[in-house]
Amino acid sequence: MRRIFMVKSPYYTVTKDTKMIVEEDSAYYRSSIIEENQTMKDEKSYSPYKPEQIIDYNCKRYGSTLNGRREVVEEILKSSSKIPIPINPQSGIYFIPTASTRNKNCVWIAYHQIKHYRKSDEQTLVLFHDGTSELIPTTASVFDRQFKRASQVIVHFNRYTLFGHGPKLW
């Protein structure tokens, strides 16, 4: 049975339990949020805000804006398209867009929730640490590139902790 949960606050607060934020094509709901031990077919929370608005709200909670995070990541990657977003770098919360944010099929996936991924026809099957999986509407090569780009950003933000040199960001 499918149950709908409305987000309790005006915006959804991204936590370590958040797996995905998906754009919805509904008259009222603009996003669905999938957390650990949930799938897109199961219980999920809905929000009247678009995924980018939710991500911007959460970036602000942790000291920046979505545009501020984008600027930093664009400089790191020397690219401005489909960039991963460090929502809360201190807690290791980074989200990967699977397509352009203007694309209605864009799914935002939490990097730390991904266990493995593989090709499934012209889509990508993402396996999560909680044992669930989702079929994502993007090719495995695009997803692989996004995953690696997020890895590069994570290393940049944690260079001092990992290697003992570079900027100490916190």
Side-chain angles (χ1 to χ4, degrees), residues 12 15-24 31-46 95 107-108 110 113 128 130 132-134:
Y12 171 80
T15 68
K16 286 274 197 180
D17 292 340
T18 309
K19 285 195 310 193
M20 298 173 26
I21 303 173
V22 182
E23 186 166 334
E24 290 290 327
S31 299
S32 59
I33 298 108
I34 295 91
E35 295 185 338
E36 282 185 358
N37 300 310
Q38 294 177 336
T39 66
M40 292 203 305
K41 296 176 186 114
D42 293 334
E43 316 164 338
K44 53 185 163 181
S45 299
Y46 288 85
F95 270 70
V107 176
W108 288 88
Q113 291 280 357
F128 295 98
D130 65 2
T132 62
S133 62
E134 293 292 344

Side-chain angles (χ1 to χ4, degrees), residues 68-155:
R69 299 280 196 217
R70 275 190 178 131
E71 285 179 26
V72 170
V73 173
E74 286 173 5
E75 191 173 308
I76 294 166
L77 297 176
K78 307 293 186 236
S79 175
S80 62
S81 66
K82 298 187 276 189
I83 58 172
I85 299 296
I87 292 178
N88 182 353
Q90 289 173 300
S91 295
I93 300 176
Y94 295 78
F95 270 70
I96 303 169
T98 60
S100 164
T101 56
R102 290 181 294 279
N103 184 330
K104 290 205 178 273
N105 290 323
C106 180
V107 176
W108 288 88
I109 301 178
Y111 178 93
H112 67 278
Q113 291 280 357
I114 300 166
K115 182 176 183 178
H116 184 68
Y117 53 93
R118 67 174 179 252
K119 181 180 178 176
S120 180
D121 295 323
E122 291 301 312
Q123 298 184 74
T124 303
L125 182 67
V126 177
L127 302 129
F128 295 98
H129 288 289
D130 65 2
T132 62
S133 62
E134 293 292 344
L135 202 54
I136 306 299
T138 191
T139 64
S141 62
V142 167
F143 192 87
D144 183 61
R145 184 171 51 250
Q146 292 303 98
F147 188 81
K148 288 175 180 170
R149 290 172 60 163
S151 299
Q152 186 178 350
V153 172
I154 291 167
V155 168

Side-chain angles (χ1 to χ4, degrees), residues 154-169:
I154 291 167
V155 168
H156 176 84
F157 273 86
N158 293 284
R159 184 169 301 284
Y160 185 83
T161 304
L162 294 169
F163 307 116
H165 58 83
K168 188 171 184 179
L169 300 174

